[in-house]
Amino acid sequence: MNNPITSWDNEYARLARAASQLRTTSPNSPSFHSTQQRQGQASSIQTGLNRLASQLNALESNLSLSPAEVGRRRTILEGLQGQMSSEGGAAASGGGGGVVGVGRGESSTAAALRQQDDMIDELAVGVGRLKNQTHLIHQEATSQVRLLDEMDNNVDLANQGLEEETRRAMRLKEEKSVWRLHLIIVGLSVLLFLLILMGLS
């Protein structure tokens, strides 16, 4: 069932998770990276987002998505691109001390709000993917119902043919019985006629 729309949704969800992990990693965490590594990760995510933008334009041009779906995806994509642009600018301007400053300057409330935004974006992607799967299931169910209707029609035709053959056999049986009765009557009539001639002689 994997199609371009599902692939787009899956890739966006992956990039959103990577961006969320990059923003929420604190300087004291064992998984904290150097400024150069963070810049490389941010650049990789930005490249992936640009690729998703190109794919979204292609889906819009070949009418694979409705305008509303295209607009919704473009909105969440641009939002994530804006977040990554801010992240890349902060990491590039601060140097080694700047990374520490990012960890200190970022309030817990802002981080929680961004995390909620990411969760909402991922939920929207999941809903879109579920919608596509539901549409495919509906198409499959419709085709199965159509096949069942055709089978019912074939069974009805077969029953009609069987009933017609049964009636034809009954007619042949009745006609054969009538011919046998006629032969018996003729034979008895001949026998009666011979007995009358023998009695008169």
Side-chain angles (χ1 to χ4, degrees):
M1 288 188 181
N2 195 16
N3 54 41
I5 299 174
T6 304
S7 299
W8 194 98
D9 292 341
N10 291 336
E11 181 65 13
Y12 175 82
R14 186 186 68 81
L15 293 175
R17 285 193 298 270
S20 177
Q21 292 173 359
L22 183 63
R23 288 195 307 271
T24 56
T25 300
S26 65
N28 297 324
S29 174
S31 60
F32 181 74
H33 302 292
S34 65
T35 302
Q36 186 175 2
Q37 289 175 324
R38 288 174 65 86
Q39 289 178 355
Q41 291 178 354
S43 176
S44 178
I45 295 172
Q46 189 65 47
T47 301
L49 293 176
N50 293 335
R51 183 169 60 253
L52 285 181
S54 299
Q55 294 176 359
L56 186 60
N57 292 332
L59 291 174
E60 182 181 17
S61 63
N62 59 26
L63 302 179
S64 298
L65 285 173
S66 65
E69 287 295 320
V70 172
R72 182 181 65 82
R73 284 173 169 80
R74 181 167 286 121
T75 298
I76 62 175
L77 185 62
E78 290 175 352
L80 188 55
Q81 285 177 330
Q83 294 174 11
M84 291 309 302
S85 297
S86 300
E87 176 69 20
S93 61
V99 175
V100 178
V102 170
R104 293 179 179 175
E106 181 179 297
S107 67
S108 59
T109 302
L113 289 175
R114 278 197 294 270
Q115 189 172 5
Q116 289 179 1
D117 290 340
D118 293 337
M119 293 175 63
I120 292 174
D121 291 342
E122 293 179 12
L123 180 61
V125 172
V127 170
R129 183 162 56 249
L130 181 61
K131 177 183 177 182
N132 293 333
Q133 293 176 351
T134 303
H135 181 65
L136 293 176
I137 292 174
H138 174 70
Q139 290 180 340
E140 183 67 21
T142 301
S143 64
Q144 294 295 332
V145 170
R146 185 167 58 253
L147 289 176
L148 290 175
D149 291 339
E150 293 176 357
M151 290 177 61
D152 289 339
N153 293 334
N154 292 335
V155 170
D156 292 338
L157 292 176
N159 288 333
Q160 292 176 2
L162 182 60
E163 292 174 358
E164 182 64 27
E165 292 298 327
T166 302
R167 287 194 295 268
R168 185 179 301 174
M170 293 297 295
R171 286 197 300 269
L172 291 175
K173 183 178 179 181
E174 292 174 357
E175 292 174 358
K176 185 177 180 181
S177 299
V178 170
W179 277 103
R180 184 180 298 171
L181 181 60
H182 289 169
L183 290 176
I184 292 174
I185 292 173
V186 171
L188 291 176
S189 299
V190 172
L191 180 60
L192 178 61
F193 180 71
L194 292 177
L195 290 174
I196 291 175
L197 289 179
M198 292 175 62
L200 290 177
S201 62

